Amino acid sequence: MSGRTDVLSVRPAGYARACPADELRVRSCRTLKWGRQVELLTSPPTDDLSALLERINVRSVVYCVSDLGAPWGFRVDGSTTAKFHLVLDGQATLTLDDPGATRITLAAGELVLLAHGSGHTVQDRGGSSARPLDHILAEGPPDQEGRLTYGGRGPRTSLLCGGFELSSDLPDDLLSLLPPLLVLDAAGTGGGPWTRWLEPTFLLLREEGARDAPGATAIMAKIADVFLTEIVRRYLSSLDNTTAAVPPAAGRDPAVGTALTLLRSQPGAAWTVADLARKVDMSRTAFAARFRQLVGEPPMSYLARVRLGHAAGYLSSTDMTVRQIARQVGYENEASLSKAFRRAFGHAPGEYRRQQLAAHGVRATAAGAGVP
């Protein structure tokens, strides 16, 4: 479909005619026979962030469907591969390897996404001892359908585990914008209208997980793509346009593109223009001039907006305190973040959080978020 808004006129026998919406004053077409209007669902993107969100496409692979009986627990080493776990039935806890990270509890229907491939431990609610997952798989590998049985005879937990990547046409550093851990209510039980549509999809996935049919894991991977795409899209939509989208010319430039990746993925670092220039092997003056030419503003001005964009993302999707968020995104204290945030967004951080949190249905845990 073209970049402009098209309106489809529905006819029998599968015939559809595209008519340009710029010839019409409404974004719906007249019915010819079926007695209902068809409204275009994909309107043109209005900014770089909207265009980016429209392109979000996740490809996942299911490693195994685990039937776990308490006591059970396993550890997963960190790697560059993004990972996910979806609780189909029962309950589990997950703890990142990062110092200060808190243990979170996962209920049936909750999906946890580890965008940075962080090492972590998954256990039953009782906090049983955890063995390296590689050792468990070596002793009792999954069957031909990818099903793993492990643990004792206590309460059962069914867990879908896998890895994922974003489509190749998306920015390489897009996953770095996500916190190390995101959780989505895939069952749609607690997020109001924002997540209610997910419930039938989750039920389908759970039903498929309970079946012992050929090709079940391939089907589950396709369904998991829906949840993973939703959680990535929902968090990125809470960021501002500057944080999530990169001007194409700037992203293609070796020096400026590298600097943008550093600023976006490490907003809490104490960056200076001289630091960035050294990273890309340029003089300070030449780097600053090229950055401003391609991005449209000086490096430190861009960094300030990226920091506030990340702060908005954390406020929209996590219960981290403003003090914790300030430290996470590079501000010395809560007061300095609050002042800059109010100036940029027109609201104090607490007020902004109240307005945004219910709209996203995603909660995040940042590395070290457990540190006061």
Side-chain angles (χ1 to χ4, degrees):
M1 195 169 283
S2 66
R4 60 185 175 180
T5 301
D6 290 331
V7 176
L8 297 182
S9 192
V10 178
R11 295 189 177 187
Y15 176 81
R17 177 179 62 85
C19 53
D22 50 13
E23 297 175 4
L24 304 174
R25 292 188 179 273
V26 295
R27 283 200 353 234
S28 61
C29 74
R30 293 171 297 225
T31 45
L32 299 183
K33 189 170 183 179
W34 288 0
R36 50 181 146 153
Q37 292 183 328
V38 176
E39 185 172 320
L40 189 69
L41 299 179
T42 54
S43 56
T46 57
D47 52 40
D48 291 340
L49 176 56
S50 298
L52 178 66
L53 294 175
E54 283 192 356
R55 291 161 51 207
I56 296 294
N57 184 19
V58 174
R59 300 188 181 111
S60 62
V61 58
V62 171
Y63 296 153
C64 61
V65 180
S66 302
D67 178 23
L68 306 164
W72 62 270
F74 61 84
R75 297 196 311 274
V76 180
D77 292 334
S79 70
T80 58
T81 302
K83 305 173 182 68
F84 71 90
H85 301 289
L86 174 61
V87 183
L88 300 175
D89 277 301
Q91 294 181 319
T93 64
L94 186 146
T95 309
L96 292 179
D97 288 349
D98 300 291
T102 56
R103 185 169 72 168
I104 65 166
T105 299
L106 301 171
E110 290 193 306
L111 168 74
V112 58
L113 180 152
L114 300 118
H116 305 172
S118 305
H120 58 281
T121 298
V122 185
Q123 299 161 289
D124 57 40
R125 286 291 303 274
S128 301
S129 61
R131 299 181 58 206
L133 182 59
D134 290 345
H135 294 181
I136 296 173
L137 296 176
E139 294 176 3
D143 62 22
Q144 292 183 346
E145 294 303 322
R147 299 178 186 276
L148 173 71
T149 301
Y150 178 70
R153 298 186 179 185
R156 315 299 297 182
T157 294
S158 180
L159 199 63
L160 177 69
C161 306
F164 73 97
E165 63 181 10
L166 300 181
S167 55
S168 58
D169 64 329
L170 292 169
D172 292 337
D173 67 339
L174 193 59
L175 284 179
S176 68
L177 295 179
L178 302 177
L181 189 152
L182 282 168
V183 180
L184 173 72
D185 176 17
T189 57
W194 326 106
T195 57
R196 219 169 273 150
W197 70 270
L198 295 171
E199 182 179 5
T201 310
F202 171 74
L203 294 176
L204 175 62
L205 181 58
R206 185 163 66 177
E207 179 180 330
E208 197 64 38
R211 295 176 58 196
D212 189 13
T217 53
I219 294 175
M220 286 188 285
K222 295 297 183 183
I223 302 175
D225 288 349
V226 174
F227 297 119
L228 294 168
T229 298
E230 177 67 5
I231 193 172
V232 171
R233 182 190 66 82
R234 207 174 282 185
Y235 183 79
L236 291 178
S237 69
S238 70
L239 305 180
D240 71 349
N241 189 55
T242 300
T243 309
V246 170
R252 289 191 297 267
D253 184 88
V256 175
T258 298
L260 287 171
T261 297
L262 290 171
L263 295 175
R264 285 150 51 91
S265 62
Q266 302 175 45
W271 295 110
T272 66
V273 176
D275 292 335
L276 293 168
R278 280 193 294 270
K279 291 285 187 181
V280 299
D281 197 26
M282 293 182 66
S283 72
R284 183 184 183 282
T285 302
F287 167 74
R290 184 182 297 183
F291 190 100
R292 183 161 192 164
Q293 176 187 5
L294 295 179
V295 179
E297 60 184 318
M300 294 300 100
S301 174
Y302 179 86
L303 174 59
R305 294 214 290 154
V306 165
R307 285 173 168 168
L308 291 173
H310 276 285
Y314 285 131
L315 288 166
S316 298
S317 58
T318 177
D319 57 4
M320 291 168 62
T321 67
V322 177
R323 179 185 178 191
Q324 290 170 335
I325 294 173
R327 293 178 58 185
Q328 193 75 25
V329 301
Y331 282 86
E332 292 184 355
N333 52 56
E334 178 180 344
S336 58
L337 170 61
S338 297
K339 181 178 179 181
F341 194 90
R342 182 186 287 274
R343 186 166 57 245
F345 289 88
H347 301 283
E351 183 182 357
Y352 181 87
R353 164 174 276 159
R354 287 190 292 273
Q355 293 178 354
Q356 297 292 317
L357 188 54
H360 295 286
V362 175
R363 72 179 193 268
T365 298
V371 179

